[in-house]
Amino acid sequence: MPKKPLSRRTFLRGAGGALVGLPLLEAMLPKLLFAHATIAKRFVVSFCGTVVGNDTLSSPGVYGALPTTMPPSWKGLEPVRAHVSLISNMNIPVYSATIPATEPASAYNMQHGTTPATTLAGVTSIETMPIMVKAQTADQYAVAALGAGSKLASLQLRTQVLPYTGSNNNHNGVMSAKMVNGQLLQLPPIVSPAQLFTTLFGVATTPGGAPALARQASVLDLIATDAQRLTSNLGASDKVRVEQHLEEIRSLERNLQAAISGGGVSGCGPATAPVDPTIGANAFSGWSNETLRGQMMADMIAYALACDLTRVASWMMTFEQVQMANVVDGLTQMHDDSHNAQLRPTNIAANCNWHATLFARLVGKLASMPEGTGTVLDNTFLSLIFAEAKTAHGRSGMRHLVAGVPSRIKNGLHIDGAGTHPGRIQIAGLQALGVNTNTLGELTGPAPITV
Amino acid sequence: MSVINRITLCALIASCGTDHRLPNDLNDPGAFGVTGLRRLTRFELVSSVGDVFGVDAAPLQAMLPEDLAGGNPFDNNYRAQTVSPLVVTDYATFAQAYAAQLAATADLPQRLGGCTPAAADDRACFDALASKIGRRMFRRPLAASELAAYAEVILPQAKAAGSFATAVEMLGLLFVQHPAFLYRLEQDGALDDFQIATRMSFLLWGSVPDDALLDVAEAGTLDDAQVRATQAKRMLDDPRAQRNLHRFHALWLGFSDAPLPSALATDLVDETNHLIDRIVFEQDAEWLALFHWNETYLTPALATQYGLPPVTSPGWVASRGGGVLTHGSFLSLGAKFGDTSPTVRGAEIFKRITCWRLGTIPPSVDTDMPPGAPTDCKPQRYVMREIDGCKQCHGIIDNIGFGLENFGVFGQWRTTEPDHPQCVIDGAGSLNGLAFSGAEELGALLADDPSVSACATTQLFRWMTGRDEDYEDQHTLDALDQQYRANRSLRGLLVDLVTSPAIAYRKGE
């Protein structure tokens, strides 16, 4: 006979609020790790803000199985090369003030800031420098189709802590946006691993455990019941925004109720909270140990997906126009390296590999987590978008990485994109997860990466 | 002429537009224009809870949602304040962490509620504490029904836990993440006294009203401009006003998130904050003397950094003139390609201090490539000043930046270019065709430029209203500028704003 979990309200009222000192009820025991009644589908899109590596593997015409020994730009993929594919030879059309856009999802000029709009949202970019997400992004389409039932509808993360420039206002570090009531809402990311841990797994580590969780749920319930008092005198526009906030509070309360009735999430997740590395910066190239931050994030994304805390994640590893220190000697910034690619081939390869290695870490984690008769990776589509081709600002010869869903997505290959728009990779990923769509913004049809 | 008419389209810097000055516009209740719902920024939230509970929340600030940039220098553009599951979750996690600290603060019931709980579910002490805290956090008195509802849920759990600290924790959870705290809720039309008090306190303090202001609001006299003026003057004498205006200037001048060297960061920011205090609070001097003040507040480390005579302890010394234009905090904005960039410095002054706008960058220009040959001296490298199609902008902004070249990225004094000892820096620049040499002369030119006071008051307007101005705001901006120029005092201008009818009125979206 299936065990029926207690609802938060039933538990609170039934116990008369007497939470401390009570023995744990069987229904409150932790769920088994990764044990879900039905296997969820997951979608992860990640972003690198600089150029891809320029080495032999990515030369045109070299397609087929990924080699056992990978070149420097992709060295970090070796442990997971059977699970990932590199798609080369993709193009984002470009237009300018004098040459009008004639193709869907075109980039305005070839400056920074145009890849998120064209590739994540599939729409034509309309400005040059600002990082623009001017339409709903692919991850939010995934939320609509896959996200129901998890703690967080979606998760937004950024690893590079700061833009590391005091003067450039063209970074806002947001790569995800959704439409709500006809209004586009940008979704700001979490940048602190410690905060990410608290957001995802805090219930398990909050001093006081389940009773503290119950107190929080009670308070959220109280707040939600104040809705009438809050909105009665407001104008229509303000009312909509407060009601949206209250709806998110109710959603959070529902998640807490589920956690209480399931005994919290202490049975699923990392055991200890990470400590944020120190934030450091200088005027030319900053560094806050983004390597460690990225590793922490990769691990927690994996747990979040496996524990069904979310089914959709967007992960901005670095800002576009990366003013972060290179990972070779820290003496130049990645962006500057991209403009001196011929002079600094070692840096270019290492910077690319740094992103690829973080991606591989996440892929590897998912591949190690059993689920059903396979692994979590079998039910997860991942992509790593590179903002530029192998030359600074280049939009021709774009390359992305994909991984997961081997039943639907080609894994372990270097694939010829044959000039396709890279935004179509997201369409292919959504379709691989069973999302019934053939479009993304202005784009139609998947990239040639499906089985 | 309004600032918003001063749109520079690269090739066209000349003034344009018609003078629509209507000096009495601040007497129009609708002068502050249309607004939408505003949410507290990180700074405002942390300041508010710290002020109310007396427990510092700054160490937990990173747990709060980021304030997204909204197109102007400030962090409070309400149009960028979107709601998402993560935003609400962030508030919840912050509330949990902060409430745990409150629960561990043993003297809180006595200090805030004036009572010592006789039992874990002491209703009288709970009511005293909740009503006291709630009044400040919600900026209005709590209704009896609210108190009863809160007590009904919270006190049984405190009793079960056997500690009044649980009630304190739950009150913290409640108030810190409640929309009545997070949002500045206002009805359209005439505001009530509590809403006026809230506008005043966030304008002057960046925080919730204190009990004194709420008492005045409760007495129903804040519709009297004279009463508001009295309160405003009192509030400007409070350290919270300093804290808030430090924040305003840090955002306006761009150093709030500047990548300053860690060993000097505190000294650099303190230097600028001391200058703000000197001008605004100690001497009530001309506000825009910020750009030509001739003394500065140095620590021994900063004196060494700047190449000024050594000091043995922090204090005021004669500077090289130029006020904040010589501060490493502000100068750090102009870094690019491993050194100072005259283009970036000029552009920052252009947009932040004169509010003139630059045109779009031509498609063929790669802004990421260092200009000129690396072996040349900088004036020869920045050839854009001489090239047709470039010089219309670079001839203006670069020439401003070249006038500050004697100052390194963080304000260090230098007479030759780094790595180019043969290249002597002469500090010659020009502003709108007027030649100057060095920061002191640039500061004097800026002080005499009417666009600078118009810009400063426009920046104040943006910060106060939490949005960018639009064309309907033109008369208000002109009136603000004229009001400022009548006495040149930021304190005076803030009092004028508080006494204007517009602070008591809302035009909703």
Side-chain angles (χ1 to χ4, degrees):
Chain A
M1 177 180 167
K3 298 181 178 68
K4 183 181 178 184
L6 295 179
S7 73
R8 181 197 65 81
R9 194 177 299 272
T10 303
F11 178 74
L12 280 179
R13 300 275 159 86
L19 291 165
V20 174
L22 284 178
L24 279 177
L25 302 177
E26 188 181 0
M28 293 179 64
L29 289 173
K31 286 182 284 190
L32 290 176
L33 190 63
F34 319 144
H36 307 301
T38 56
I39 292 177
K41 302 293 184 185
R42 297 94 166 185
F43 184 94
V44 179
V45 58
S46 48
F47 182 83
C48 157
T50 188
V51 296
V52 295
N54 178 20
D55 50 41
T56 54
L57 178 71
S58 49
S59 295
V62 185
Y63 300 114
L66 290 174
T68 307
T69 301
M70 301 286 276
S73 296
W74 311 107
K75 196 73 179 170
L77 296 178
E78 280 181 1
V80 295
R81 65 182 176 79
H83 302 301
V84 301
S85 285
L86 172 68
I87 301 97
S88 296
N89 191 23
M90 298 182 291
N91 300 325
I92 300 176
V94 177
Y95 76 106
S96 70
T98 53
I99 304 172
T102 57
E103 297 183 62
S106 295
Y108 181 61
N109 292 332
M110 291 177 66
Q111 291 282 352
H112 300 283
T114 59
T115 301
T118 55
T119 303
L120 285 166
V123 297
T124 296
S125 70
I126 56 175
E127 292 175 51
T128 305
M129 290 300 288
I131 306 299
M132 294 163 305
V133 184
K134 294 291 189 187
Q136 178 156 309
T137 47
D139 56 305
Q140 293 306 306
Y141 287 108
V143 168
L146 312 172
S150 58
K151 175 180 179 181
L152 294 170
S154 64
L155 189 61
Q156 292 79 41
L157 304 175
R158 190 181 68 232
T159 297
Q160 184 182 335
V161 181
L162 298 167
Y164 294 124
T165 56
S167 58
N168 283 346
N169 294 325
N170 54 326
H171 307 281
N172 66 14
V174 175
M175 64 175 282
S176 188
K178 70 173 179 179
M179 293 296 295
V180 178
N181 298 328
Q183 186 184 4
L184 187 70
L185 301 179
Q186 290 196 334
L187 302 174
I190 291 176
V191 296
S192 154
Q195 184 186 1
L196 174 61
F197 181 88
T198 306
T199 301
L200 290 172
F201 315 109
V203 168
T205 57
T206 300
L213 174 64
R215 291 195 288 273
Q216 171 71 300
S218 294
V219 166
L220 293 175
D221 195 31
L222 262 180
I223 293 172
T225 59
D226 273 350
Q228 176 63 29
R229 193 190 304 274
L230 281 168
T231 59
S232 59
N233 292 326
L234 299 181
S237 167
D238 295 357
K239 200 170 185 173
V240 166
R241 294 183 64 191
V242 172
E243 284 176 345
Q244 188 190 346
H245 192 110
L246 288 168
E247 182 50 42
E248 299 296 354
I249 283 178
R250 292 186 194 101
S251 172
L252 179 58
E253 190 209 353
R254 284 194 295 272
N255 290 330
L256 290 179
Q257 283 183 10
I260 293 169
S261 62
V265 293
S266 56
C268 192
T272 55
V275 177
D276 284 353
T278 304
I279 292 179
N282 64 51
F284 306 116
S285 60
W287 181 252
S288 304
N289 199 349
E290 272 82 358
T291 301
L292 181 57
R293 290 171 179 274
Q295 291 169 347
M296 293 171 171
M297 288 184 170
D299 293 356
M300 284 190 276
I301 293 171
Y303 274 115
L305 298 175
C307 301
D308 204 26
L309 301 177
T310 190
R311 296 171 187 171
V312 178
S314 70
W315 182 18
M316 179 177 272
M317 295 178 184
T318 48
F319 283 83
E320 190 153 347
Q321 196 179 32
V322 190
Q323 311 279 354
M324 192 174 79
N326 75 55
V327 290
V328 176
D329 55 18
L331 296 178
T332 60
Q333 48 168 263
M334 290 188 179
H335 168 253
D336 190 39
D337 286 345
S338 75
H339 283 274
N340 296 278
Q342 290 185 324
L343 298 174
R344 304 175 192 165
T346 303
N347 288 13
I348 292 294
N351 295 337
C352 178
N353 189 51
W354 183 84
H355 293 85
T357 303
L358 286 178
F359 184 73
R361 186 181 180 97
L362 174 56
V363 171
K365 287 278 177 190
L366 296 175
S368 71
M369 293 171 157
E371 183 173 62
T373 57
T375 71
V376 178
L377 184 63
D378 295 341
N379 302 297
T380 307
F381 174 78
L382 303 97
S383 60
L384 172 57
I385 293 172
F386 284 83
E388 299 168 324
K390 64 183 180 182
T391 57
H393 304 178
R395 299 289 183 273
S396 177
M398 304 284 290
R399 300 178 183 91
H400 292 354
L401 291 171
V402 299
V405 208
S407 62
R408 300 291 304 276
I409 297 292
K410 293 175 181 173
N411 282 187
L413 299 175
H414 182 203
I415 298 171
D416 181 5
T420 193
H421 194 296
R424 293 196 170 96
I425 283 183
Q426 304 305 319
I427 299 174
L430 290 168
Q431 290 182 349
L433 297 173
V435 179
N436 184 22
T437 182
N438 197 38
T439 61
L440 176 69
E442 301 158 7
L443 297 170
T444 302
I449 62 171
T450 51
V451 174
Chain B
M1 189 189 72
S2 165
V3 166
I4 53 180
N5 272 343
R6 297 190 185 102
I7 300 172
T8 304
L9 293 175
C10 213
L12 180 63
I13 302 292
S15 302
C16 58
T18 308
D19 195 333
H20 289 295
R21 187 165 295 143
L22 294 176
N24 292 326
D25 260 10
L26 286 184
N27 288 324
D28 174 1
F32 291 174
V34 172
T35 188
L37 186 66
R38 297 179 64 178
R39 199 169 71 211
L40 305 195
T41 64
R42 275 181 165 185
F43 171 83
E44 291 169 337
L45 193 155
V46 165
S47 298
S48 295
V49 299
D51 291 346
V52 172
F53 292 100
V55 175
D56 185 15
L60 304 176
Q61 178 169 303
M63 301 176 79
L64 291 166
E66 285 187 318
D67 298 313
L68 294 181
N72 64 39
F74 304 106
D75 59 359
N76 61 356
N77 192 321
Y78 76 85
R79 293 188 175 108
Q81 293 175 332
T82 58
V83 176
S84 72
L86 277 183
V87 165
V88 172
T89 303
D90 285 350
Y91 285 129
T93 52
F94 171 85
Q96 282 178 277
Y98 190 64
Q101 292 190 11
L102 297 180
T105 307
D107 72 337
L108 207 134
Q110 177 63 43
R111 180 161 51 81
L112 297 182
C115 58
T116 301
D121 60 346
D122 183 335
R123 175 66 189 263
C125 194
F126 176 86
D127 284 356
L129 185 62
S131 56
K132 180 84 171 179
I133 297 170
R135 182 176 184 249
R136 303 259 332 258
M137 294 290 280
F138 290 0
R139 289 89 71 179
R140 61 167 174 78
L142 294 188
S145 59
E146 285 176 289
L147 268 180
Y150 299 160
E152 183 185 355
V153 170
I154 292 174
L155 287 180
Q157 298 195 53
K159 184 178 181 182
S163 171
F164 193 79
T166 296
V168 172
E169 179 201 353
M170 293 186 73
L171 283 174
L173 287 173
L174 175 72
F175 289 125
V176 168
Q177 60 189 325
H178 201 294
F181 167 64
L182 297 175
Y183 291 93
R184 291 165 58 174
L185 304 173
E186 298 175 337
Q187 78 265 13
D188 293 342
L191 300 180
D192 67 31
D193 284 70
F194 293 104
Q195 292 163 346
I196 297 170
T198 299
R199 279 195 174 188
M200 288 172 62
S201 67
F202 279 100
L203 172 62
L204 300 177
W205 286 349
S207 180
V208 293
D210 63 358
D211 283 323
L213 183 58
L214 289 170
D215 288 344
V216 177
E218 203 152 356
T221 55
L222 275 181
D223 59 343
D224 182 333
Q226 201 51 49
V227 172
R228 295 202 297 274
T230 302
Q231 286 298 314
K233 288 170 185 168
R234 174 185 73 82
M235 295 169 75
L236 285 168
D237 289 334
D238 188 286
R240 282 168 281 195
Q242 286 174 271
R243 179 184 66 189
N244 194 39
L245 288 184
H246 291 169
R247 178 70 178 163
F248 164 73
H249 285 88
L251 291 166
W252 170 29
L253 299 175
F255 62 88
S256 62
D257 295 317
L260 301 173
S262 55
L264 283 172
T266 301
D267 292 359
L268 288 166
V269 173
D270 280 354
E271 179 193 23
T272 305
N273 286 342
H274 273 94
L275 179 58
I276 295 162
D277 292 346
R278 191 78 147 184
I279 291 173
V280 179
F281 296 102
E282 295 170 18
Q283 300 188 7
D284 195 13
E286 178 188 349
W287 178 25
L288 299 182
L290 272 176
F291 304 118
H292 58 80
W293 203 258
N294 59 9
E295 58 175 348
T296 199
Y297 189 89
L298 292 186
T299 60
L302 213 47
T304 302
Q305 165 75 7
Y306 287 168
L308 287 169
V311 298
T312 55
S313 60
W316 290 97
V317 299
S319 71
R320 293 192 169 93
V324 74
L325 297 175
T326 67
H327 289 193
S329 57
F330 177 70
L331 289 168
S332 69
L333 300 185
K336 196 168 182 179
F337 307 127
D339 187 24
T340 59
S341 163
T343 302
V344 176
R345 273 195 180 157
E348 290 294 333
I349 289 173
F350 213 60
K351 72 181 181 187
R352 292 182 187 276
I353 300 177
T354 71
C355 289
W356 289 30
R357 295 181 195 171
L358 291 168
T360 53
I361 300 167
S364 57
V365 173
D366 184 349
T367 58
D368 298 321
M369 294 304 292
T375 52
D376 285 345
C377 294
K378 202 178 267 187
Q380 283 72 54
R381 295 207 300 275
Y382 280 69
V383 292
M384 303 85 76
R385 293 185 292 171
E386 312 296 335
I387 299 173
D388 285 343
C390 301
K391 65 183 180 185
Q392 289 86 344
C393 285
H394 285 278
I396 294 165
I397 57 177
D398 292 13
N399 284 335
I400 300 172
F402 269 106
L404 297 175
E405 272 296 288
N406 284 117
F407 298 91
V409 172
F410 300 115
Q412 59 271 47
W413 180 256
R414 60 194 190 179
T415 55
T416 60
E417 293 178 17
D419 303 326
H420 294 75
Q422 78 281 11
C423 302
V424 176
I425 300 172
D426 62 9
S430 66
L431 176 71
N432 296 340
L434 299 172
F436 69 87
S437 179
E440 186 172 18
E441 291 186 16
L442 173 58
L445 286 178
L446 289 171
D448 287 342
D449 187 334
S451 70
V452 174
S453 70
C455 179
T457 50
T458 296
Q459 301 285 23
L460 186 67
F461 177 88
R462 291 169 175 169
W463 182 63
M464 174 183 68
T465 57
R467 64 180 176 86
D468 282 323
E469 73 281 6
D470 58 35
Y471 283 94
E472 290 184 350
D473 299 315
Q474 184 171 323
H475 298 165
T476 300
L477 293 173
D478 287 346
L480 257 182
D481 184 31
Q482 194 172 45
Q483 200 101 353
Y484 166 70
R485 285 197 273 165
N487 61 20
R488 305 272 170 177
S489 159
L490 178 56
R491 282 178 67 100
L493 186 60
L494 288 167
V495 173
D496 289 343
L497 285 170
V498 168
T499 55
S500 72
I503 202 156
Y505 190 84
R506 184 180 204 265
K507 284 168 69 175
E509 283 181 318

